[in-house]
Amino acid sequence: MDRPNVGRKLPRRTGGEEPQARQSIVKYAFVGLSARAGATTLAFAFADWAARQSARGKGTPALSLSLPAKKPKKRNAAGSGRALPAEEPGRSGLAEPSAKLQNGGGVAVVGIDDDELRLGGSDYDRVGIDMRFSGREYLSPYARLAAGASVRGIHNVDGGVNWLLRAPGESCAGFTATDYVRLSSGATEDTVIIDVKGGFGGDRRISELPKLLNDCDRVFAVVDPLPSALMADTEKLELFKSLELGGADILYVINRMNPGVDVREMRSFIKVRRAVEIPFFPPEHIYAAEYNCCTLYAMPKATSLLTTAFEQMAL
């Protein structure tokens, strides 16, 4: 039946475009097979790479660092002289807009950290969050989580990355798997990188890891090929394989590859089909990255090698 039609006009703005539909969020997780396997270093570098992919497309210059760093040092509140490279965009002390990936989103790093003692140091300090946010507020998702407040939509953007890390002095005692799932789901960017602390998944957490990883599009299981590291947590290796059999996208990242590794023995032990190798970078690059408050990806000797690996790893 024909409906009666009232004569109306639909005005259109000249040159107007329909808004594009928001792309679905892509979630990556970095999890070390053992503690200190290098998962955090790679997660932060991967986030840096993803943000720079878009930034370069907009004409933003890449960060240029040298070894050793010869820039004048600034001192943070703790008195540690560390250089904050002036060339990197977003370091002016003002909040910068999030860098957009080609699919229209932004990049966030969510730190999943239940290490109360922090004997290995803080990830917050690893990339100099205190110096990156000097003169502006850093909103801690862990403080909000502890207070029962919403952790969604927090924006701590610097260098094109939204940093959602636990600040020094904050406790995570009493957090449950549900709390960590809330934390990992709080980022609103289109590319979310979840860094699961190496010790997470020990005796009291191993059963909770699937709750964090099942929501991810791809999980990077970071492997240190040192024999003692390979044998440190075989239960976690079996968990990765179980998730893979259940349909999870698990990609093994063999970190710190070097001529001393017996590749045949290593592969015989882990028995995996899909793997990407990352070379063992000289320690001066790791140290220089921290002294410059940046990621390993910013170091010239590491950039090209990591780019090749990350292009294979990304969806």
Side-chain angles (χ1 to χ4, degrees):
M1 184 176 87
D2 292 335
R3 298 178 63 228
N5 188 17
V6 178
R8 295 182 294 172
K9 294 181 180 179
L10 179 63
R12 296 281 191 185
R13 294 180 181 177
T14 304
E17 295 181 358
E18 293 293 332
Q20 294 182 350
R22 188 176 189 274
Q23 300 292 324
S24 60
I25 293 175
V26 177
K27 287 187 178 182
Y28 298 99
F30 283 77
V31 190
L33 178 62
S34 60
R36 298 183 178 86
T40 298
T41 297
L42 293 180
F44 288 5
F46 187 80
D48 197 353
W49 167 79
R52 289 164 188 266
Q53 289 296 99
S54 175
R56 286 198 184 97
K58 296 180 180 179
T60 304
L63 174 62
S64 176
L65 294 175
S66 60
L67 272 174
K70 296 182 180 180
K71 302 177 182 65
K73 305 290 185 180
K74 296 181 181 180
R75 291 195 174 271
N76 60 19
S80 172
R82 295 206 287 174
L84 189 61
E87 298 93 329
E88 187 168 5
R91 296 294 178 81
S92 63
L94 300 176
E96 66 170 286
S98 175
K100 304 294 183 182
L101 289 179
Q102 292 181 356
N103 66 350
V107 182
V109 172
V110 181
I112 301 298
D113 180 4
D114 69 343
D115 179 9
E116 282 289 335
L117 297 178
R118 280 188 165 178
L119 298 178
S122 167
D123 295 335
Y124 177 102
D125 292 329
R126 185 189 295 255
V127 286
I129 294 295
D130 58 336
M131 298 188 70
R132 286 171 177 260
F133 288 85
S134 177
R136 55 191 171 120
E137 185 180 13
Y138 174 80
L139 299 175
S140 170
Y142 276 79
R144 288 197 175 187
L145 196 63
S150 172
V151 292
R152 186 169 180 79
I154 298 174
H155 293 289
N156 297 316
V157 181
D158 187 86
V161 178
N162 188 15
W163 301 95
L164 303 174
L165 308 176
R166 178 180 157 209
E170 293 179 336
S171 175
C172 56
F175 284 5
T176 66
T178 301
D179 294 317
Y180 287 109
V181 170
R182 279 186 60 209
L183 191 62
S184 66
S185 300
T188 56
E189 284 71 17
D190 281 358
T191 300
V192 178
I193 297 158
I194 300 170
D195 170 43
V196 182
K197 196 72 175 176
F200 192 98
D203 292 341
R204 71 186 184 92
R205 291 288 191 187
I206 191 70
S207 62
E208 297 178 355
L209 264 178
K211 299 174 185 177
L212 285 168
L213 304 182
N214 283 336
D215 191 39
C216 295
D217 297 280
R218 174 165 288 176
V219 175
F220 299 118
V222 181
V223 179
D224 183 343
L226 196 68
S228 57
L230 291 173
M231 296 185 290
D233 195 347
T234 55
E235 187 177 1
K236 190 182 290 183
L237 178 59
E238 292 305 315
L239 173 63
F240 289 146
K241 292 181 178 180
S242 175
L243 290 173
E244 195 171 11
L245 287 173
D249 186 347
I250 309 289
L251 181 62
Y252 294 84
V253 181
I254 315 301
N255 194 24
R256 300 171 182 159
M257 281 296 292
N258 65 86
V261 176
D262 188 323
V263 178
R264 183 175 178 179
E265 288 296 328
M266 182 266 295
R267 288 189 174 273
S268 174
F269 182 85
I270 60 176
K271 294 182 175 66
V272 299
R273 293 178 292 109
R274 301 169 60 222
V276 173
E277 295 182 358
I278 305 285
F280 200 156
F281 292 101
E284 57 263 32
H285 301 301
I286 306 292
Y287 279 73
E290 283 209 22
Y291 273 98
N292 283 280
C293 300
C294 63
T295 75
L296 179 62
Y297 186 76
M299 306 312 298
K301 294 291 187 181
T303 301
S304 61
L305 293 172
L306 286 174
T307 296
T308 300
F310 290 163
E311 287 175 347
Q312 298 176 57
M313 292 164 60
L315 288 170

